[in-house]
Amino acid sequence: MTSVPADYATAKSGWWHRNQQSMTPLLLLLPGVLFFLFYVIFPIFQSFNLSFYEWDGLGERTFVGFYNYEELYWDDAFYVSLRNNLIWLLLYLLAIPAGLFIALFLNQTVVGIRLYKSLFFFPFVISQVVVGLVFSWFYDPTFGLLNEMLGFFGFDPINVLGDERYVTYGIIAAGLWPQTAYCMILYLTGLNAVDPEQIEAGRLDGAKGGKMLWYIILPQLRPATFIAFVVTIIGALRSFDLISVMTNGGPFGESRVLAFYMFEVALSEYGFRMGYGAAIAVVLFLIMLVYISFFLWKMARDERGA
Amino acid sequence: MRSMLKTTLAALATTAMIAVPAMAEGLTGDLKIFLDTSNPAPRATMEDMIARFQAKNPDLQIETTIIDREAYKTQIRNFLTANAPDVATWYAANRMKPYVDAGLFDDVSDLWKEDLFATKLAPSKAALTLDGKQWGVPYSFYQWGIYYRQDIYKELGLSEPKTFADMKSNCQKILDSGRKCFTIGTKFLWTAAGWFDYLNMRTNGFEFHIDLLQGNVPWTDDRVKATFANWRELIDMGAYVDNHTSYSWQEALPFMVKGEAAAYLMGNFAVAPLREAGLDDSKLDFYKFPVITEGVSDGEDAPMDTFHIPAQAKNKDNARAFLRYVADAENQTIINKQLGQLPVNADSSVADDKFLQEGSPMLNAADGVAQFFDRDAPAEMAKVAMDGFQKFMVKPDQLDRILNQLERARKRIYK
């Protein structure tokens, strides 16, 4: 009874046994890939498809070709949202230099520095809804702190969230508060990894202040800058909660961005134009795609360089 | 934010045991009710009503789900298509059209042929009718009108205006005293639609208003422009509180409570928070929106709250029995007293409340009753138009641009 069982012998030389090494990672990836396909890739194509239909989400769909895009072309509200999206993209990037300077400022050994760091990080921890509420009270035209302060310096009160000229900037300012904190944390971890020998060498060569920052520190912070850039751009493009809480898109739709406008036409109380919403989503997706491909390209280039 | 609160059968059973099961009608089986009455007072009212219905039918298994009022507006689309209850609350007129068109509401024309509905609820029938059939049963409605600070009017020697000219001259005196004539918060847009409803109904009459909302008249029509011209007179006077785009309707209440604004065009639901804030009946009063054009038909806004049976309901007989109970005169007297609203059944009595007592005859005398802008017009049109109204209130010079936009939307929406 010492002979090896027949089925065990065949199993050993079987297909699975031979391909175990290459199959295991694929099998382990499978659940994640399936989820990604089902919840990300598939819906993207669904949105593309839906944007050619007129559908209220309940009844029959009617194929309308490019009609939804033609409507977009004539829709003033769409251009307002697009313009606001660009303003968001540009101004939101201010979070990166702001975060860097706070990080530089906090990167020292003083008693209680951990406490200061956590205080600066605090706005990122609280919910966007709370940030929105706090800022809408701050901006309140009748009782708000902002107008009290302006009044103290002799300026006329302004109604930030009720005036179409200021409203988008007002909301971006609120959004920058937590976003700056996020960039700060990224840079703080980056600063821990800065090589002291290089600083020493730079100092011997007479670098200090701005030059030291630009030529010695910043190049070493490139990974952190890269991540800060990516999260800030994406944060700007999907800005939604602050707008919803602070102005609900108003006054007369002047603070909408594409994501909010899409929600409004497709899913809000007065919406349910699914096809039109999908068309806006497609436009937003294409804008994101430009950024995503730029970053993928840059990442690939950097890795080859390294 | 989305609270899904369930009232368990156990809680209802205890209330039912206290009540005497006097006239047991003996329904059996299940009854699943979805409600959007999530505010405390309406919630208690509905729970009491269901408890009374339970007491009449001790063997009926009632399951009540109360959903947050705002969340309900989007959730209804899901629960009507999958896992439908037997009875659900919603609104009358065009607001039920998407669900009627999609075949998600049950045709309840059979109920409306019964004596109770045909005679006692007849005036509300039109609001529940689409395509010649009835799709729901109303349980309550309330008037709109101008709620004002009686003490301020007295101090300035003003009386309730009967005409637009009186309204404007009153307003000028109020402005001269350093106050605003009207408070309003247009952040969520619909409050501005209330002003449009009334100005348009008073300028052009009820039929024209409904015609316009049904898409039969271009928004660039001269009669529409006349409505906006009247509105503009008030805007140019500075009649409204400043910065109204920043406030919700609740956030606009303090202006009136503090006496910085003298009046508020609102639905009767504004009375409760104003009373709570300390305005008793000696300070708070009500008048009907004054006449603008002599001789046009007289319309009022009076939105109706309704119950419907989803097409996929499993216990439609029980649901119909429940709707009969909802329409019952005695029951409507009780629930509307608790809600502070008006009963729809003609045999019910109106609660002993100054505003309801004044509102009820006003609505009975009206030539037509509208459901409110965003219920009479299709949802898409309502959204575009209400954006335009808010913009007009801030930038009246852009009227032509706004009207052209509305007209383009009209051509697209009412194909």
Side-chain angles (χ1 to χ4, degrees):
Chain A
M1 303 302 263
T2 52
S3 63
V4 177
D7 54 336
Y8 182 70
T10 44
K12 206 170 181 184
S13 57
W15 184 85
W16 168 243
H17 196 76
R18 272 181 281 117
N19 295 295
Q20 235 174 8
Q21 286 280 343
S22 55
M23 288 306 286
T24 308
L26 291 181
L27 275 179
L28 291 177
L29 273 176
L30 193 67
V33 170
L34 278 181
F35 271 97
F36 190 70
L37 280 177
F38 202 76
Y39 289 110
V40 178
I41 304 296
F42 181 57
I44 290 175
F45 288 101
Q46 254 186 333
S47 303
F48 271 94
N49 181 41
L50 195 56
S51 70
F52 298 115
Y53 287 88
E54 205 163 58
W55 187 41
D56 67 353
L58 289 173
E60 286 294 299
R61 298 180 190 195
T62 8
F63 184 79
V64 290
F66 279 91
Y67 176 76
N68 283 323
Y69 293 94
E70 194 189 320
E71 270 293 312
L72 271 187
Y73 179 79
W74 292 108
D75 189 351
D76 287 347
F78 170 69
Y79 291 107
V80 170
S81 317
L82 196 61
R83 184 201 69 203
N84 285 340
N85 252 128
L86 292 178
I87 299 177
W88 268 88
L89 272 178
L90 285 177
L91 292 185
Y92 221 49
L93 290 176
L94 286 177
I96 298 174
L100 173 65
F101 283 108
I102 296 177
L104 288 172
F105 173 66
L106 288 179
N107 190 40
Q108 43 194 316
T109 36
V110 187
V111 181
I113 192 70
R114 274 166 183 273
L115 178 69
Y116 304 138
K117 281 182 186 172
S118 31
L119 284 179
F120 272 91
F121 191 56
F122 178 68
F124 186 70
V125 181
I126 54 179
S127 147
Q128 294 261 305
V129 176
V130 178
V131 173
L133 274 179
V134 167
F135 267 83
S136 14
W137 293 330
F138 175 68
Y139 289 142
D140 188 294
T142 342
F143 323 102
L145 197 58
L146 177 72
N147 281 329
E148 294 287 328
M149 291 183 336
L150 284 176
F152 182 77
F153 292 108
F155 293 105
D156 286 334
I158 51 172
N159 178 12
V160 179
L161 297 181
D163 188 313
E164 78 279 9
R165 284 167 301 175
Y166 311 128
V167 63
T168 298
Y169 303 101
I171 302 174
I172 294 174
L176 279 175
W177 190 42
Q179 191 65 26
T180 304
Y182 192 25
C183 293
M184 177 202 79
I185 279 291
L186 289 173
Y187 279 119
L188 271 178
T189 31
L191 283 171
N192 281 336
V194 166
D195 185 0
E197 282 180 23
Q198 283 191 29
I199 296 178
E200 198 63 26
R203 204 164 276 154
L204 285 177
D205 287 341
K208 52 185 166 187
K211 279 202 167 160
M212 173 76 99
L213 177 67
W214 188 254
Y215 292 107
I216 312 282
I217 312 281
L218 274 187
Q220 295 191 60
L221 286 177
R222 263 183 56 192
T225 310
F226 179 72
I227 298 289
F229 216 76
V230 172
V231 293
T232 307
I233 292 282
I234 291 177
L237 281 173
R238 53 168 220 198
S239 47
F240 177 87
D241 10 20
L242 283 177
I243 297 171
S244 175
V245 171
M246 292 173 76
T247 62
N248 203 31
F252 32 92
E254 286 288 332
S255 64
R256 286 183 189 125
V257 293
L258 288 176
F260 189 82
Y261 191 43
M262 174 188 70
F263 168 81
E264 223 175 50
V265 297
L267 301 166
S268 74
E269 190 182 344
Y270 300 110
F272 300 115
R273 293 168 71 192
M274 296 300 178
Y276 197 56
I280 300 170
V282 166
V283 173
L284 187 58
F285 174 75
L286 293 178
I287 297 174
M288 283 221 189
L289 203 61
V290 171
Y291 278 92
I292 293 168
S293 13
F294 169 73
F295 283 117
L296 286 180
W297 170 76
K298 193 171 146 48
M299 220 151 52
R301 200 193 54 176
D302 286 358
E303 268 174 23
R304 239 178 291 131
Chain B
M1 291 248 279
R2 300 192 166 184
S3 61
M4 253 263 223
L5 294 156
K6 281 200 171 184
T7 317
T8 53
L9 191 67
L12 284 173
T14 44
T15 10
M17 269 187 286
I18 302 162
V20 191
M23 18 187 317
E25 288 164 16
L27 290 176
T28 53
D30 296 316
L31 181 64
K32 206 165 135 192
I33 305 171
F34 277 18
L35 301 171
D36 70 344
T37 49
S38 57
N39 295 334
R43 184 191 171 108
T45 308
M46 286 296 145
E47 281 172 354
D48 286 355
M49 177 173 82
I50 292 166
R52 287 196 302 275
F53 187 67
Q54 176 79 79
K56 282 172 180 275
N57 302 285
D59 295 330
L60 188 66
Q61 301 280 318
I62 304 181
E63 188 193 328
T64 312
T65 305
I66 298 173
I67 299 170
D68 174 75
R69 197 175 172 83
E70 292 305 313
Y72 191 94
K73 289 173 182 169
T74 45
Q75 285 184 15
I76 186 171
R77 302 172 71 88
N78 298 333
F79 68 64
L80 285 183
T81 44
N83 196 15
D86 299 312
V87 178
T89 51
W90 192 238
Y91 312 103
N94 237 311
R95 275 305 276 278
M96 59 181 189
K97 192 169 173 6
Y99 309 109
V100 170
D101 288 349
L104 293 173
F105 276 164
D106 204 34
D107 175 6
V108 292
S109 304
D110 53 319
L111 277 180
W112 283 86
K113 291 196 181 78
E114 290 173 16
D115 204 37
L116 164 69
F117 291 87
T119 55
K120 304 303 176 198
L121 279 82
S124 64
K125 190 172 178 180
L128 275 309
T129 304
L130 281 176
D131 308 329
K133 294 170 190 154
Q134 287 75 47
W135 304 95
V137 168
Y139 63 90
S140 176
F141 71 144
Y142 53 89
Q143 83 269 20
W144 270 65
I146 296 179
Y147 295 84
Y148 71 101
R149 285 286 299 266
Q150 203 171 12
D151 49 338
I152 295 178
Y153 271 53
K154 239 179 225 152
E155 178 197 320
L156 301 174
L158 307 174
S159 56
E160 296 184 1
K162 294 283 175 249
T163 66
F164 196 48
D166 289 348
M167 187 170 168
K168 283 183 289 187
S169 72
N170 275 355
C171 182
Q172 195 51 56
K173 283 176 197 141
I174 294 167
L175 287 171
D176 292 343
S177 77
R179 300 177 180 97
K180 291 290 185 181
C181 312
F182 301 104
T183 182
I184 185 170
T186 59
K187 183 175 176 185
F188 295 100
L189 309 175
W190 56 268
T191 46
W195 276 93
F196 177 80
D197 271 354
Y198 272 101
L199 286 163
N200 196 37
M201 282 192 289
R202 294 290 182 266
T203 309
N204 298 308
F206 175 74
E207 284 84 11
F208 176 84
H209 182 65
I210 293 299
D211 241 20
L212 177 71
L213 266 48
Q214 287 176 348
N216 303 326
V217 185
W219 279 87
T220 43
D221 192 286
D222 281 340
R223 290 167 290 180
V224 180
K225 286 182 180 161
T227 299
F228 280 100
N230 287 330
W231 199 349
R232 175 146 196 182
E233 286 188 56
L234 294 174
I235 295 168
D236 286 348
M237 287 171 82
Y240 299 101
V241 290
D242 298 326
N243 302 323
H244 53 76
T245 54
S246 301
Y247 303 116
S248 66
W249 77 266
Q250 293 98 330
E251 288 168 324
L253 290 167
F255 294 108
M256 185 151 160
V257 175
K258 287 192 284 186
E260 290 167 17
Y264 203 173
L265 174 67
M266 253 301 139
N268 199 57
F269 52 82
V271 170
L274 285 172
R275 275 184 181 151
E276 268 165 40
L279 298 182
D280 55 33
D281 286 3
S282 70
K283 289 187 179 151
L284 191 63
D285 205 356
F286 170 84
Y287 64 82
K288 177 186 161 84
F289 200 99
V291 173
I292 296 180
T293 311
E294 282 293 340
V296 298
S297 58
D298 182 30
E300 295 291 340
D301 268 340
M304 220 171 257
D305 297 327
T306 53
F307 273 111
H308 304 264
I309 304 178
Q312 295 177 15
K314 291 183 192 71
N315 308 293
K316 288 186 181 170
D317 289 335
N318 286 346
R320 280 179 164 69
F322 182 71
L323 293 193
R324 273 181 215 114
Y325 183 69
V326 164
D328 175 71
E330 190 195 333
N331 177 50
Q332 289 220 346
T333 306
I334 302 172
I335 58 173
N336 283 296
K337 194 171 178 180
Q338 278 174 291
L339 289 171
Q341 299 191 160
L342 295 166
V344 184
N345 189 314
D347 283 350
S348 303
S349 49
V350 175
D352 184 24
D353 172 278
K354 172 169 141 181
F355 298 97
L356 294 177
Q357 289 291 348
E358 204 168 332
S360 181
M362 178 182 89
L363 293 181
N364 289 336
D367 296 324
V369 172
Q371 291 297 309
F372 200 72
F373 192 87
D374 66 352
R375 299 186 191 183
D376 289 318
E380 271 181 58
M381 188 69 226
K383 172 68 183 162
V384 181
M386 293 189 318
D387 257 343
F389 299 156
Q390 190 201 30
K391 190 169 189 173
F392 174 74
M393 288 188 73
V394 182
K395 301 182 153 190
D397 287 335
Q398 299 213 3
L399 178 63
D400 285 331
R401 202 183 150 86
I402 294 167
L403 290 181
N404 286 334
Q405 247 166 18
L406 295 194
E407 177 56 15
R408 209 174 55 228
R410 180 185 77 92
K411 284 185 181 141
R412 172 172 60 77
I413 292 162
Y414 307 85
K415 266 177 273 196

